[in-house]
Amino acid sequence: MSRFLLACVFLALGLLRAQAQAENGGDLIHRVKAGDTLISIAHAYGVTLDQLLSLNGIDREALLQIGQRLLVISAGELAGDEGEAASEDAGGSETANAPAVVVAAQRWPPAPVRDADAPMRDPADLSARLCAAVYQDENQNGLMEPDEKLLPDATILLLEAGGALRSEYKTDGNGQPYCPDELERQFYTLEAIAPPGFGLTSAASLRVDLRAGGLARVDFGAKLGLEAPALAPPDEAPAPEPSEARAGRSPLRELGGLFVLGLAGVVLFSGLAVSLVVRGR
């Protein structure tokens, strides 16, 4: 909206100047109207107040009368302004027609390519794929951080759904996980054995469902000097005390057993009595 108003103002000024020049033989003359002041006239034509006073031989205190004619810009000055504008337009046309400067594009070196930790695969491939690795879990958070390295001398066991050992892999720590080929779609169990002097910070055995295919990645963490919890052998487990075994029995079950025993005795004696009566006859 503000741009539209400015355009209207400039258009009105242009028409005003053209009309004034036509009426005064090339000089730009303003005829004073009611409400005009020296400052408003100077602003209307884009000249300074001093220029307006000098052209008309008056001072700042001069009183204006309605219908008074004031010289704003002489015909000579207008001709000079138009010549400068024409030369600027000509120079702009030459600049526009000048041939563009062509700068050769710089050839940048190709971006470095880094091999992925896991092998790349076609997204449309739904075959069963499984990758596993053992890494040095320094902060023991169970997550493989970017600065945590893979460990050599660890053992990864791959077991099939029935528990049979399918493969055994010894890690080398060279940055590539273990990815066995030609896996069927079924359940698998991965087990990890930490290198000597290391203890696992994650579960030592994980079950993976590959019945729907796809790629699964399992990382086992281990830390130097971490000891795994010791498990007592089955034959050294303490036997429960007799009192503890009896304390675990239900009183209702004991009463039920006594009732059954008593009923069996009654049936036995009744059978003997019937047998004696029959023989006496």
Side-chain angles (χ1 to χ4, degrees):
M1 187 66 181
S2 59
R3 292 182 179 179
F4 177 74
L5 293 176
L6 289 176
C8 292
V9 171
F10 288 135
L11 180 59
L13 291 176
L15 293 175
L16 181 63
R17 293 181 63 170
Q19 182 180 3
Q21 285 181 263
E23 294 177 353
N24 300 280
D27 291 335
L28 186 57
I29 302 297
H30 176 76
R31 191 179 297 273
V32 178
K33 302 183 297 296
D36 284 349
T37 63
L38 292 173
I39 295 178
S40 65
I41 296 172
H43 287 175
Y45 290 93
V47 297
T48 64
L49 179 58
D50 293 336
Q51 290 176 344
L52 183 61
L53 297 177
S54 176
L55 287 174
N56 293 275
I58 58 177
D59 57 15
R60 296 175 181 268
E61 305 299 330
L63 297 177
L64 299 179
Q65 298 179 0
I66 296 176
Q68 180 180 353
R69 295 159 58 89
L70 292 177
L71 176 60
V72 179
I73 302 176
S74 64
E77 292 180 357
L78 288 174
D81 294 341
E82 291 176 358
E84 292 178 1
S87 62
E88 290 178 359
D89 293 340
S93 300
E94 293 176 358
T95 304
N97 296 328
V101 179
V102 179
V103 180
Q106 296 182 356
R107 297 182 59 86
W108 298 98
V113 179
R114 180 181 179 184
D115 295 335
D117 292 339
M120 301 299 293
R121 58 190 299 269
D122 186 358
D125 182 13
L126 296 179
S127 60
R129 298 295 306 277
L130 181 62
C131 294
V134 181
Y135 67 97
Q136 189 168 353
D137 191 5
E138 291 293 343
N139 53 12
Q140 303 184 45
N141 63 348
L143 299 175
M144 186 174 179
E145 305 292 347
D147 57 343
E148 293 176 339
K149 300 180 180 179
L150 297 180
L151 283 177
D153 300 329
T155 303
I156 299 177
L157 304 177
L158 177 62
L159 307 178
E160 295 185 348
L165 178 64
R166 182 184 179 102
S167 62
E168 180 177 346
Y169 177 75
K170 196 78 168 180
T171 63
D172 55 9
N174 288 332
Q176 295 294 334
Y178 168 53
C179 302
D181 297 328
E182 300 181 358
L183 296 179
E184 294 80 12
R185 297 188 184 184
Q186 62 175 356
F187 282 102
Y188 290 94
T189 300
L190 281 170
E191 295 183 358
I193 302 175
F198 285 81
L200 292 176
T201 61
S202 58
S205 177
L206 292 174
R207 195 181 188 197
V208 182
D209 185 3
L210 290 180
R211 292 177 297 176
L215 173 64
R217 170 71 183 263
V218 178
D219 295 321
F220 295 95
K223 182 174 175 58
L224 181 63
L226 184 65
E227 296 183 0
L231 300 177
D235 55 348
E236 295 182 2
E241 296 293 334
S243 59
E244 294 179 359
R246 287 197 300 270
R249 296 179 181 177
S250 173
L252 293 178
R253 293 182 61 182
E254 293 183 357
L255 292 177
L258 294 176
F259 176 76
V260 171
L261 183 61
L263 182 61
V266 171
V267 172
L268 178 61
F269 284 115
S270 299
L272 293 174
V274 172
S275 177
L276 292 176
V277 170
V278 171
R279 289 182 181 182
R281 291 181 179 180

